């Protein structure tokens, strides 16, 4: 749960009044500048948002309103669902607003940041803090800038493969339990729970600290999840993708990412295959698709030979 107290600590805000309400929950991802409301128009007041008063709102409040109007606006700004009101640039808060916040137990806070910069920082923070989230069993590794989520049954070799990838110079984000947040449509950010951050479990060896063994460059706190590699034991009677034309997707929350299924068999270098999968995924996003190029070549050859492909 995100409370006002957490944003006070995060942004180093000063409390002016309404101290009793610092445990109020913030539920809306948006931030409002109630300029029209200060002028008296409350028909569409988004009262459940964090309210930010900049220099424009504060100066209008002080210079253009009578004492009665300031009292009225202050009371109407302070509704029970309003999480807090924040004044920027270290501007002095109007006395009427201070009293209204004390009466309604709505925290009135002050930041030294300018309004535009503060709203941008607050919006980015709220997007992540209030984003839909889930937990997945797997390993998340940053490979050539691509966040690869390695999944599969327990004991299939996910952590051992991640260890090999780290030895090859790639970075571990999370092992065993990956926390995933959907910060926007098809943008999934993965991280490790604090309890297991930087740790990797290898069966027969135990828990190892990747940062201690391989250095700070071997770990990453957070990474966008872009590709899923699913590991599964090889089944002789199962048909596996050989060309790469069939683009499978994995759904996480309300988003989708590309998925590749890698069958495990003795002698296969899983780390090397996953590295190539990440590089190929990156090339596809840059506009080059080897599978599609081969398919085009094949079609051209068929046309040249009149439907015959004997010489391929």
């Amino acid at each position: 749960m995100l409370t006002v107290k957490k944003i006070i600590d995060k942004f180093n805000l000063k409390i002016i009044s309404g101290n009793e309400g610092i445990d109020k929950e913030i539920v809306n991802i948006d931030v409002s500048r109630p300029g029209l409301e200060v002028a008296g128009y409350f028909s569409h007041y988004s009262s459940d948002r964090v309210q930010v008063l900049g220099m424009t709102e504060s100066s209008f409040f002080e210079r253009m309103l009578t004492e009665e109007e300031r009292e009225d606006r202050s009371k109407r700004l302070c509704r029970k669902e309003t999480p807090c009101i924040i004044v920027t640039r270290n501007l002095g808060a109007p006395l009427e607003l201070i009293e209204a916040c004390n009466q309604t137990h709505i925290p009135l806070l002050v930041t030294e940041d300018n309004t535009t910069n503060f709203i941008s920082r607050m919006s980015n923070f709220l997007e992540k803090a209030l984003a839909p989230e889930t937990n997945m069993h797997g390993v998340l590794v940053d490979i050539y800038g691509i966040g690869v989520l390695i999944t599969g049954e327990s004991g299939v070799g996910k952590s051992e493969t991640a260890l090999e990838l780290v030895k090859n110079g790639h970075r571990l984000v999370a092992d065993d339990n990956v926390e995933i947040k959907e910060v926007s449509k098809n943008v999934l950010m993965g991280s490790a729970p604090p309890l297991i951050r930087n740790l990797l479990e290898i069966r027969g060896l135990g828990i190892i600290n990747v940062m201690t063994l391989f250095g700070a460059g071997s770990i990453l706190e957070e990474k966008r999840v872009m590709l899923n590699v699913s590991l599964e034991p090889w089944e002789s009677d199962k048909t596996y993708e050989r060309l790469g034309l069939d683009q499978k997707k994995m759904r996480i929350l309300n988003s989708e990412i590309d998925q590749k299924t890698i069958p495990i068999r003795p002698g296969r270098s899983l780390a090397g295959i996953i590295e190539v999968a990440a590089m190929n995924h990156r090339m596809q996003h840059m506009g080059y698709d080897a599978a599609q190029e081969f398919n085009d070549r094949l079609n051209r050859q068929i046309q040249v030979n009149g439907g015959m492909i004997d010489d391929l």
Side-chain angles (χ1 to χ4, degrees):
M1 183 176 72
L2 180 63
T3 63
V4 175
K5 185 178 187 306
K6 290 182 180 178
I7 69 167
I8 292 174
D9 296 336
K10 173 70 177 178
F11 295 96
N12 194 27
L13 304 176
K14 299 177 183 177
I15 304 175
I16 302 301
S17 63
N19 305 51
E20 298 89 346
I22 62 173
D23 291 323
K24 294 190 70 171
E25 183 179 4
I26 300 174
V27 297
N28 198 316
I29 198 172
D30 296 314
V31 178
S32 284
R33 290 187 69 174
L36 288 174
E37 288 78 8
V38 169
Y41 185 75
F42 281 85
S43 295
H44 300 285
Y45 177 39
S46 301
S47 55
D48 62 339
R49 300 179 182 179
V50 172
Q51 307 296 323
V52 178
L53 299 177
M55 182 174 290
T56 303
E57 295 81 13
S58 296
S59 60
F60 184 90
F61 204 98
E62 290 283 3
R63 299 177 185 179
M64 304 301 295
L65 302 180
T66 64
E67 181 178 347
E68 291 76 14
E69 288 174 329
R70 290 197 295 270
E71 289 180 359
D72 173 70
R73 305 292 194 275
S74 297
K75 291 177 181 178
R76 296 173 72 183
L77 281 173
C78 296
R79 298 184 181 178
K80 63 178 182 179
E81 65 271 16
T82 305
C84 62
I85 299 174
I86 304 173
V87 181
T88 61
R89 294 178 177 271
N90 268 339
L91 296 170
L95 179 61
E96 294 82 2
L97 186 58
I98 294 175
E99 292 176 351
C101 286
N102 272 329
Q103 292 172 2
T104 55
H105 307 308
I106 292 176
L108 179 60
L109 314 170
V110 173
T111 176
E112 61 184 18
D113 251 352
N114 66 66
T115 311
T116 302
N117 185 51
F118 179 76
I119 289 179
S120 176
R121 292 173 58 212
M122 177 63 74
S123 296
N124 289 336
F125 172 75
L126 292 179
E127 278 185 4
K128 291 186 177 181
L130 297 177
E133 61 181 304
T134 187
N135 289 67
M136 292 195 66
H137 177 64
V139 181
L140 181 58
V141 186
D142 173 30
I143 305 174
Y144 300 122
I146 303 296
V148 180
L149 177 65
I150 305 172
T151 57
E153 298 177 359
S154 293
V156 79
K158 299 184 297 294
S159 298
E160 290 79 1
T161 302
L163 177 60
E164 189 67 27
L165 289 166
V166 169
K167 289 174 64 179
N168 289 350
H170 306 293
R171 296 184 290 180
L172 175 72
V173 182
D175 175 51
D176 192 55
N177 182 17
V178 184
E179 293 182 343
I180 299 178
K181 288 191 174 185
E182 186 180 42
V183 298
S184 62
K185 184 64 175 178
N186 290 329
V187 178
L188 302 165
M189 301 302 296
S191 61
L195 182 64
I196 60 173
R197 191 167 294 160
N198 306 339
L199 302 180
L200 194 62
E201 179 196 357
I202 305 297
R203 280 178 171 79
L205 184 61
I207 303 294
I208 64 171
N209 190 309
V210 173
M211 186 174 69
T212 302
L213 291 178
F214 299 99
S218 63
I219 55 98
L220 193 62
E221 185 173 334
E222 184 181 56
K223 183 65 183 177
R224 180 179 175 182
V225 184
M226 302 175 69
L227 175 66
N228 168 237
V229 173
S230 177
L231 304 181
E232 64 175 42
W234 186 293
E235 297 179 21
S236 58
D237 58 345
K238 183 175 180 179
T239 302
Y240 294 101
E241 178 66 27
R242 299 187 65 180
L243 296 181
L245 291 172
D246 185 16
Q247 297 292 337
K248 294 183 179 179
K249 298 288 185 179
M250 179 186 195
R251 189 169 188 84
I252 302 176
L253 296 172
N254 296 311
S255 298
E256 290 184 339
I257 60 173
D258 291 337
Q259 182 181 53
K260 301 294 181 184
T261 299
I262 307 297
I264 301 173
R265 196 173 189 177
R268 304 197 87 197
S269 173
L270 292 180
I273 292 172
I274 294 175
E275 284 178 327
V276 172
M279 288 188 288
N280 192 53
H281 179 84
R282 186 173 182 178
M283 290 298 295
Q284 288 175 343
H285 275 260
M286 295 171 64
Y288 175 76
D289 190 331
Q292 189 60 51
E293 181 183 357
F294 172 76
N295 191 56
D296 293 341
R297 287 183 189 179
L298 180 61
N299 290 332
R300 287 195 298 268
Q301 189 69 33
I302 292 173
Q303 291 175 1
V304 169
N305 292 345
M308 302 296 291
I309 55 173
D310 295 13
D311 56 345
L312 287 179

